[in-house]
Amino acid sequence: MNKHFYLTTPIYYVNGAPHIGHAYTSIAADVLARWKRLDGYEVFFLTGTDEHGQKVEKAAAEAGLDPQGFTDQVAADFRDMAARMNISNDDFIRTTEPRHKRACAELWRRLEAHGAIYLGHYEGWYAVRDEAFYNQGELTLGADGIRRAPSGAPVEWVREPSYFFRLSSWQDKLLEFHEKNPDFIAPVARRNEVLSFIRSGLEDLSISRTSFTWGIPVPGDPAHVMYVWLDALTNYITAAGFPDEADPRWGFWPADLHIVGKEIVRFHAVYWPAFLMAAGLAPPQRIYSHGWWTVEGEKMSKSLGNVIDPRELVATFGRDALRYFLLREVPFGNDGDFSRKALITRLNGELANDLGNLAQRTLSLVARQCAGVRPARGASIAPDQALRDAAAALPALVRGALEKFAFHEALEDVWRVVRAANAYIDHQAPWALARTDRARMASVLRVLLDAVRGVATVLQPFMPESMARMLDQLGVPADARGLAALDQDLPAGAALPPPEGIFPRFDALSR
Ligand code: ME8
């Protein structure tokens, strides 16, 4: 296989509708997937839904539906969200699909064959909301008399027969694994959390339940269903064809990157590599854990009624505007706060004014002064060369920033060039040159067209639709939109379509 890259989002629980947090993870992963494709990689980009377990079973009962009918409905809603955010996933996995049940059963059998599983009895605390087991020491007792996990989720006492995974025997091997792979989990604060969790001592993990039935049956013992996290994590190998090693997608395993929110790091950086290594399979290469969004200063929650539907934002502001804002506003590893005011400020200032005006001013001058035809490159003087060099540096800068998941830095690098191009157009004043020196005017406009092309090319992964329109207006053919094509000059004399504004302005009171 050529250079290839396999990346994933978490698979989302179908206990409720998709919200801005889910959209965020999917958009970030989509930008990376599109960037890698633009950069010449063969990409496999996976997202999907996590449909088993007690939490989903409960939500289905509350909705008055059978779990399969309920999950069919909510999974369709998640698929719709992905389409509306312009997510370019290559596959969408549902854990209720036969291919996934088969993969889980096979993984279980391999774990069993390696002596990693035994039957016992679980007695302890469980939080349905987190689908996680907790030790007594991790809990707090609230004034309301309710015991809660560190996430705030209430816990209940569970006592039932259970299969266990011998996680305790993986403590040293996991530490060694993390030492040998210092970049396995980032940012570094999450790595430290993981290391201290492992060092604090790993207990064997309960990996089956008998008190409900909405799950994948344990092979040979259907009174048990698999623990939903063992089931869920396995999705990443199911989609790569496991256990069919002849499947062409199996060449993508181990995954290059799992992108996850900060609350599910333990499952991905401790349990998942242990399960895989115990079954004789390769662990993934990297995990990046991003921060959490609050809304207008508050935690998003159904009870507060402040859950933001990303589709409503898209209907108002456009999907590229939302994609841009979410990745520009907050460094990826940090928590951030969503506010409409901040969104509108960035859309007006950075998209409509900085970038939109640059393209519009350049293209309308070409339309008016050059009969809508792309001028030839003229002799370069210092300011021309400076802008050309700044634009030519962008692919490497954006690549470097994205390699460290610094989406905001990548965008800042691009905007430095956008601002430089706006300063250049002001200083060169091609509208004045139109009266005094038309040859110089034409070379200035050509420098600008090339700079806008460079900017629009590297921005495609962030704002695919608007940048496609911008590249259309610049007359860049479909096969000249990759990073490698930036080295090739576009021919002079090509007729460009009439320019049209791409980014509308929003009045601060817009809903
Ligand atoms: O945890 N801010 O699913 P889930 C940022 N099924 N990101 C957020 C967010 C917020 N406020 N809220 C959610 C699960 N997310 C499991 C995963 S993977 C094998 C199984 C994003 O529906 C973030 O990526 O609770 C988080 O990790 C994910 O949605 C959790 O989605």
Side-chain angles (χ1 to χ4, degrees), residues 9-15 19-22 24-25 50 55 78 229 232-236 259-264 268 290-294 300:
T9 71
I11 48 170
Y12 306 114
Y13 285 128
V14 290
N15 63 313
H19 59 63
I20 192 88
H22 304 121
Y24 179 55
T25 316
D50 186 354
K55 162 152 127 170
F78 272 90
W229 269 101
L233 289 160
T234 303
N235 92 86
Y236 301 132
I259 297 189
V260 301
K262 65 178 183 180
E263 82 292 1
I264 54 175
H268 285 82
H290 64 69
W292 265 49
W293 285 90
T294 50
M300 243 186 300

Coordinates of all heavy atoms in Angstrom, one line a residue, residues 9-15 19-22 24-25 50 55 78 229 232-236 259-264 268 290-294 300, ligand 1:
T9 N -12.9 8.6 14.8 CA -13.5 9.4 15.9 C -14.0 8.4 16.9 O -14.0 7.2 16.5 CB -14.8 10.2 15.4 OG1 -15.8 9.2 15.1 CG2 -14.5 11.0 14.1
P10 N -14.4 8.8 18.1 CA -15.1 7.8 18.9 C -16.4 7.4 18.2 O -16.9 8.2 17.4 CB -15.4 8.6 20.2 CG -14.6 9.9 20.1 CD -14.3 10.1 18.7
I11 N -16.9 6.3 18.6 CA -18.3 6.0 18.1 C -19.2 6.5 19.1 O -19.0 6.3 20.3 CB -18.5 4.5 17.7 CG1 -18.0 3.6 18.9 CG2 -17.7 4.1 16.4 CD1 -18.4 2.1 18.7
Y12 N -20.2 7.3 18.7 CA -21.0 8.0 19.7 C -22.2 7.2 20.2 O -22.8 6.4 19.4 CB -21.5 9.3 19.0 CG -20.4 10.1 18.4 CD1 -20.3 10.3 17.0 CD2 -19.4 10.7 19.2 CE1 -19.3 11.0 16.5 CE2 -18.4 11.4 18.7 CZ -18.3 11.6 17.3 OH -17.3 12.3 16.8
Y13 N -22.5 7.3 21.5 CA -23.6 6.6 22.1 C -24.9 7.2 21.4 O -25.1 8.4 21.2 CB -23.7 6.9 23.6 CG -22.8 6.2 24.4 CD1 -22.0 6.9 25.3 CD2 -22.6 4.8 24.3 CE1 -21.1 6.2 26.1 CE2 -21.7 4.1 25.1 CZ -20.9 4.8 26.0 OH -20.1 4.2 26.8
V14 N -25.8 6.2 21.2 CA -27.1 6.7 20.5 C -28.2 6.9 21.6 O -29.4 6.7 21.3 CB -27.5 5.6 19.5 CG1 -26.6 5.7 18.3 CG2 -27.6 4.2 20.0
N15 N -27.8 7.3 22.8 CA -28.8 7.5 23.8 C -29.5 8.9 23.6 O -30.5 9.2 24.3 CB -28.3 7.4 25.2 CG -27.2 8.5 25.5 OD1 -26.3 8.7 24.6 ND2 -27.3 9.2 26.6
H19 N -24.8 16.4 19.3 CA -24.7 17.9 19.7 C -23.4 18.4 19.2 O -22.6 17.7 18.6 CB -25.0 18.1 21.2 CG -24.1 17.3 22.1 ND1 -22.7 17.6 22.1 CD2 -24.3 16.4 23.0 CE1 -22.2 16.8 23.0 NE2 -23.1 16.1 23.6
I20 N -23.1 19.6 19.6 CA -21.9 20.3 19.1 C -20.6 19.6 19.5 O -19.6 19.7 18.7 CB -21.9 21.8 19.6 CG1 -20.9 22.7 18.9 CG2 -21.7 21.9 21.1 CD1 -21.4 23.3 17.7
G21 N -20.6 18.9 20.7 CA -19.4 18.2 21.1 C -19.1 17.1 20.1 O -17.9 16.9 19.7
H22 N -20.1 16.3 19.7 CA -19.9 15.3 18.7 C -19.4 15.9 17.3 O -18.5 15.4 16.7 CB -21.1 14.5 18.4 CG -21.7 13.9 19.7 ND1 -23.0 14.2 20.1 CD2 -21.2 13.1 20.6 CE1 -23.3 13.5 21.2 NE2 -22.2 12.9 21.6
Y24 N -17.8 18.5 16.9 CA -16.4 19.1 17.0 C -15.4 18.0 16.7 O -14.5 18.2 15.9 CB -16.3 19.6 18.5 CG -14.9 20.1 18.8 CD1 -14.3 21.1 18.1 CD2 -14.2 19.6 19.9 CE1 -13.1 21.7 18.4 CE2 -13.0 20.1 20.3 CZ -12.4 21.2 19.5 OH -11.2 21.7 19.9
T25 N -15.5 16.8 17.4 CA -14.6 15.7 17.2 C -14.6 15.3 15.7 O -13.5 15.1 15.1 CB -14.9 14.5 18.1 OG1 -15.3 15.0 19.4 CG2 -13.8 13.5 18.1
D50 N -22.2 3.8 18.8 CA -22.0 2.8 19.9 C -23.4 2.5 20.4 O -24.0 3.4 21.0 CB -21.1 3.5 20.9 CG -20.7 2.6 22.0 OD1 -21.1 1.4 22.1 OD2 -19.9 3.0 22.9
K55 N -27.0 2.0 29.1 CA -27.5 3.4 28.9 C -28.4 3.5 27.7 O -29.4 4.2 27.8 CB -26.2 4.2 28.8 CG -26.3 5.6 28.2 CD -25.2 6.5 28.7 CE -24.4 7.2 27.7 NZ -23.5 8.2 28.3
F78 N -27.2 10.5 13.6 CA -25.8 10.7 13.6 C -25.2 10.7 12.2 O -24.3 11.5 11.9 CB -25.1 9.7 14.5 CG -25.0 10.2 16.0 CD1 -26.0 9.8 16.9 CD2 -24.0 11.0 16.4 CE1 -26.0 10.3 18.2 CE2 -23.9 11.4 17.7 CZ -24.9 11.0 18.6
W229 N -17.8 -1.4 26.7 CA -16.5 -0.8 26.2 C -15.6 -1.8 25.4 O -14.9 -1.4 24.5 CB -15.7 -0.1 27.4 CG -16.1 1.3 27.5 CD1 -17.0 1.8 28.5 CD2 -15.7 2.4 26.7 NE1 -17.1 3.2 28.3 CE2 -16.4 3.6 27.2 CE3 -14.9 2.5 25.6 CZ2 -16.2 4.8 26.6 CZ3 -14.7 3.8 25.1 CH2 -15.3 4.9 25.6
A232 N -17.4 -1.7 22.2 CA -17.2 -0.5 21.4 C -15.8 -0.3 20.9 O -15.6 0.1 19.7 CB -17.5 0.7 22.4
L233 N -14.8 -0.6 21.7 CA -13.4 -0.3 21.2 C -13.1 -1.2 20.0 O -12.3 -0.8 19.1 CB -12.4 -0.6 22.4 CG -12.4 0.5 23.5 CD1 -11.8 -0.1 24.8 CD2 -11.7 1.7 23.0
T234 N -13.7 -2.4 20.0 CA -13.4 -3.4 18.9 C -13.8 -2.8 17.6 O -13.4 -3.3 16.5 CB -14.1 -4.7 19.3 OG1 -13.6 -5.2 20.5 CG2 -13.9 -5.8 18.2
N235 N -14.7 -1.8 17.6 CA -15.2 -1.3 16.3 C -14.0 -0.9 15.4 O -14.1 -0.9 14.2 CB -16.1 -0.1 16.5 CG -15.4 1.3 16.5 OD1 -15.2 1.9 15.5 ND2 -14.9 1.7 17.7
Y236 N -12.9 -0.4 16.0 CA -11.8 0.1 15.2 C -11.1 -1.0 14.4 O -10.5 -0.7 13.4 CB -10.8 0.7 16.1 CG -11.3 1.9 17.0 CD1 -11.0 2.0 18.4 CD2 -12.0 3.0 16.4 CE1 -11.4 3.0 19.2 CE2 -12.4 4.0 17.2 CZ -12.1 4.0 18.6 OH -12.6 5.1 19.4
I259 N -8.9 9.8 17.6 CA -9.2 11.1 18.3 C -10.3 10.8 19.2 O -11.3 10.3 18.9 CB -9.6 12.1 17.2 CG1 -8.4 12.3 16.3 CG2 -9.9 13.4 17.9 CD1 -8.5 13.5 15.4
V260 N -10.1 11.3 20.5 CA -11.1 11.1 21.5 C -11.2 12.3 22.4 O -10.3 13.1 22.4 CB -10.8 9.9 22.4 CG1 -10.7 8.6 21.6 CG2 -9.5 10.1 23.2
G261 N -12.4 12.5 23.1 CA -12.5 13.5 24.1 C -11.7 13.1 25.3 O -11.4 11.9 25.5
K262 N -11.5 14.1 26.2 CA -10.6 13.8 27.3 C -11.2 12.9 28.4 O -10.4 12.3 29.2 CB -10.2 15.2 28.0 CG -11.4 15.9 28.7 CD -11.0 17.1 29.4 CE -12.2 17.8 30.1 NZ -11.8 19.0 30.8
E263 N -12.5 12.7 28.3 CA -13.1 11.9 29.4 C -13.0 10.4 29.1 O -13.3 9.5 29.9 CB -14.6 12.3 29.6 CG -15.6 11.6 28.6 CD -15.4 12.1 27.1 OE1 -14.5 12.9 26.8 OE2 -16.2 11.7 26.3
I264 N -12.5 10.0 27.9 CA -12.5 8.6 27.6 C -11.1 8.1 27.3 O -10.8 7.1 26.6 CB -13.5 8.2 26.4 CG1 -13.3 9.0 25.2 CG2 -14.9 8.3 26.9 CD1 -14.2 8.6 24.0
H268 N -9.1 4.2 26.1 CA -8.3 4.1 24.9 C -6.8 3.9 25.1 O -6.1 3.3 24.3 CB -8.5 5.4 24.0 CG -9.8 5.4 23.3 ND1 -11.0 5.8 23.9 CD2 -10.1 5.0 22.0 CE1 -12.0 5.7 23.0 NE2 -11.5 5.2 21.9
H290 N -8.8 15.6 23.0 CA -9.1 17.0 22.9 C -9.9 17.4 24.1 O -10.4 16.6 24.9 CB -9.8 17.4 21.6 CG -11.1 16.8 21.4 ND1 -12.2 17.2 22.2 CD2 -11.6 15.8 20.6 CE1 -13.2 16.5 21.8 NE2 -12.9 15.6 20.9
G291 N -10.1 18.7 24.2 CA -10.8 19.3 25.4 C -12.3 19.3 25.2 O -12.8 18.9 24.2
W292 N -13.0 19.9 26.2 CA -14.4 19.9 26.2 C -15.0 21.3 26.0 O -14.4 22.3 26.5 CB -15.0 19.3 27.5 CG -15.3 17.9 27.3 CD1 -14.5 17.0 26.7 CD2 -16.5 17.2 27.6 NE1 -15.1 15.8 26.6 CE2 -16.4 15.9 27.2 CE3 -17.7 17.6 28.2 CZ2 -17.4 15.0 27.3 CZ3 -18.7 16.7 28.4 CH2 -18.5 15.4 27.9
W293 N -16.1 21.4 25.3 CA -16.8 22.7 25.1 C -17.8 22.9 26.2 O -18.6 21.9 26.5 CB -17.5 22.7 23.8 CG -16.6 22.9 22.6 CD1 -15.9 21.9 21.9 CD2 -16.1 24.1 22.0 NE1 -15.2 22.5 20.9 CE2 -15.3 23.8 21.0 CE3 -16.4 25.5 22.3 CZ2 -14.7 24.8 20.2 CZ3 -15.8 26.5 21.6 CH2 -15.0 26.1 20.5
T294 N -17.9 24.1 26.7 CA -19.1 24.5 27.5 C -19.8 25.5 26.6 O -19.3 25.9 25.5 CB -18.6 25.2 28.8 OG1 -17.7 26.2 28.4 CG2 -18.0 24.2 29.7
M300 N -22.8 21.7 29.0 CA -23.9 21.4 28.2 C -24.7 20.3 28.9 O -24.1 19.3 29.2 CB -23.5 20.9 26.8 CG -23.9 21.7 25.7 SD -23.4 20.9 24.1 CE -21.7 20.8 24.3
Ligands
ME8_1 O1 -18.1 8.2 25.1 N1 -17.0 18.9 24.1 O2 -19.7 8.3 23.4 P1 -20.3 9.7 23.6 C1 -16.2 18.3 23.3 N2 -19.6 5.7 23.0 N3 -16.4 17.0 22.8 C2 -17.5 16.4 23.2 C3 -18.4 17.0 24.1 C4 -18.1 18.3 24.6 N4 -18.9 18.9 25.4 N5 -19.3 16.1 24.4 C5 -19.0 14.9 23.6 C6 -18.7 7.7 24.2 N6 -17.9 15.1 22.9 C7 -18.5 6.2 23.7 C8 -17.2 6.2 22.9 S1 -15.3 5.0 21.5 C9 -14.9 3.4 21.3 C10 -16.8 4.9 22.4 C11 -17.3 14.2 22.0 O3 -21.6 9.8 22.8 C12 -15.9 13.7 22.5 O4 -15.2 13.3 21.4 O5 -20.5 10.0 25.0 C13 -16.2 12.6 23.4 O6 -15.1 11.7 23.6 C14 -17.3 11.9 22.6 O7 -18.1 13.0 22.0 C15 -18.2 11.1 23.5 O8 -19.3 10.7 22.9

